[in-house]
Amino acid sequence: SYAAHYLAPKPLHAELSAPDAHCFVLATNTDTGALVGYGKLELTRPAHESVTGARPVLLQRLYVAASARGTGLADRILSALDTEATRRGFGTLWLECDPANERAWRFYEKRGFAVRGQVSYVLPNGANDNVRVMERGLREERERDAAPVG
């Protein structure tokens, strides 16, 4: 229901029309033109206190429609966001992930994100006190950390 609300035409248009506080990657089906993937960096929100990486930026959303899952689209969106964040001078991606969304947090863990803390969400249908805060260095930072010394 969250994705259906925020990916509906009016809210999505409002986000896309907002000042330069966000960076988006949109993926569409080439045959139908339907939106099948969506990624968003929130460029101005301060990092959660548990985030330790340099120059953090929030990966606020990464969605892939059920019809496009298993195609590598999520990795391509994440890579595009990683590239754009690096281009803008950020060094760390951080995010908040509901552990009940097992598919999402396993995706992030497999891509090098580590759990750093937790945060509470207050939603219309109740509170969730177990949202994970995760982070990883951007490609450039990871490559620098992996480079041999000497």
Side-chain angles (χ1 to χ4, degrees), residues 13-126:
H13 182 267
E15 274 191 328
L16 290 168
S17 301
D20 191 29
H22 315 292
C23 172
F24 296 92
V25 172
L26 303 176
T28 58
N29 179 305
T30 55
D31 295 329
T32 66
L35 181 66
V36 293
Y38 168 56
K40 177 184 176 185
L41 296 177
E42 172 31 271
L43 303 174
T44 60
R45 183 169 155 197
H48 185 267
E49 63 189 24
S50 66
V51 174
T52 61
R55 302 176 318 279
V57 63
L58 175 61
L59 172 58
Q60 190 169 26
R61 297 196 184 121
L62 198 164
Y63 294 108
V64 173
S67 64
R69 290 187 187 140
T71 65
L73 180 59
D75 282 313
R76 291 192 304 275
I77 292 171
L78 183 58
S79 178
L81 291 169
D82 186 293
T83 298
E84 182 60 20
T86 300
R87 187 187 74 75
R88 291 175 181 250
F90 295 102
T92 303
L93 282 179
W94 73 280
L95 59 90
E96 297 168 340
C97 184
D98 184 344
N101 187 347
E102 189 173 328
R103 181 184 195 103
W105 65 258
R106 285 194 179 176
F107 171 85
Y108 293 123
E109 283 182 336
K110 286 180 183 177
R111 277 123 190 115
F113 285 85
V115 176
R116 295 290 187 237
Q118 70 182 48
V119 67
S120 297
Y121 276 7
V122 177
L123 305 167
N125 58 346

